[in-house]
Amino acid sequence: MEKNKFNKAYWELRYEKNKTGWNIGYASPPLENFIKQLRDTSISILIPGAGNSFEAELLWNEGFTNTFVLDIAKQPLENFKKRVKNFPYEQVLHQDFFELNRTFDLIIEQTFFCALNPDLRKRYVEKMAQLLKPNGKLVGLFFDFPLTEAGPPFGGSINEYKSIFNKHFKINTLQRATNSIKERQGKELFFIFEV
Ligand SMILES: C[S@@+](CC[C@H](N)C(=O)[O-])C[C@H]1O[C@@H](n2cnc3c(N)ncnc32)[C@H](O)[C@@H]1O
């Protein structure tokens, strides 16, 4: 598989052609539940591969002012800026995730890992560990269906996720999500990993 097939041009074209089946249109319920029980609104939060980022909108509305969204494609970030008018421009990062250099208390994952070429999984894990502060957490959703050549989205299983993350993270939670949207029911794992 070519490494750079799913590059900036690929994702920008998907947005331009409106081929964005992943876009829920509101915060994903398992992530909404997680966000709503967070208490310290001063923590720094990153959402990489954020797309239209309804989770970042929710965080912002809940008072998490130290939230950053990042995407390699410009259009969803422009959509986000129009929707969430007071969100600081400097916290909207139009860049490649693998080139980001700063640290956060919490990183939220949703359909970003599965969008990457599976050859990049090891680099993703290392990069996430590098982007988190001591005791920082990577929290989110992974798909639970077999990994094949077909994708994105590219799948995986509990065992595969455990084996690639446990070198850099403590696996606190990794279980079937209970309140996934209808299309993802039984196919989504909720996880909390800690560096
Ligand atoms: C399947 S979409 C998911 C978007 C969003 N997380 C959601 O759930 O709606 C994958 C996103 O990752 C972005 N992306 C892909 N590769 C990236 C990279 N190397 N750095 C930053 N963003 C990337 C794409 O532009 C796209 O917005």
Side-chain angles (χ1 to χ4, degrees):
M1 215 182 280
E2 285 170 62
K3 255 208 170 72
N4 61 354
K5 187 174 169 207
F6 307 115
N7 57 12
K8 182 174 189 284
Y10 170 88
W11 290 106
E12 295 209 312
L13 193 65
R14 297 274 313 235
Y15 283 101
E16 199 184 305
K17 302 229 159 190
N18 234 357
K19 292 194 169 169
T20 54
W22 59 79
N23 188 50
I24 301 179
Y26 51 88
S28 175
L31 295 179
E32 182 180 0
N33 277 2
F34 173 76
I35 288 167
K36 291 240 163 124
Q37 55 79 50
L38 291 173
R39 290 290 161 261
D40 181 0
T41 54
S42 72
I43 58 169
S44 53
I45 306 176
L46 171 70
I47 307 192
N52 287 301
S53 204
F54 296 93
E55 289 74 24
E57 182 173 0
L58 174 66
L59 282 163
W60 180 253
N61 290 338
E62 295 281 319
F64 292 87
T65 52
N66 204 4
T67 297
F68 290 71
V69 293
L70 177 146
D71 206 286
I72 205 167
K74 196 161 186 188
Q75 190 187 307
L77 298 179
E78 292 301 322
N79 298 343
F80 178 78
K81 284 193 216 164
K82 279 189 206 136
R83 253 187 21 249
V84 192
K85 295 222 162 34
N86 297 329
F87 196 93
Y89 272 29
E90 62 278 14
Q91 290 169 215
V92 178
L93 309 176
H94 180 210
Q95 68 173 98
D96 188 331
F97 163 75
F98 293 101
E99 285 165 16
L100 179 64
N101 281 310
R102 61 191 301 162
T103 54
F104 302 87
D105 297 303
L106 171 66
I107 304 182
I108 295 183
E109 158 64 52
Q110 173 167 247
T111 63
F112 173 50
F113 178 88
C114 70
L116 297 171
N117 186 316
D119 292 349
L120 294 173
R121 288 184 171 187
K122 191 167 167 272
R123 267 187 75 199
Y124 170 105
V125 176
E126 288 164 0
K127 188 69 195 175
M128 283 296 184
Q130 185 196 321
L131 290 173
L132 283 164
K133 294 184 181 168
N135 305 316
K137 290 191 180 86
L138 172 63
V139 176
L141 296 162
F142 284 147
F143 279 128
D144 184 15
F145 55 74
L147 173 61
T148 66
E149 287 282 305
F154 294 103
S157 66
I158 287 192
N159 284 343
E160 284 164 351
Y161 298 132
K162 268 190 191 153
S163 77
I164 52 176
F165 281 90
N166 69 15
K167 185 165 171 224
H168 293 279
F169 288 87
K170 192 164 107 215
I171 314 274
N172 289 352
T173 303
L174 177 58
Q175 65 197 28
R176 171 71 34 89
T178 50
N179 50 350
S180 301
I181 58 165
K182 196 162 163 268
E183 298 77 5
R184 298 182 190 172
Q185 270 167 21
K187 289 185 245 167
E188 226 174 25
L189 302 167
F190 175 74
F191 68 87
I192 301 178
F193 298 163
E194 193 173 336
V195 280

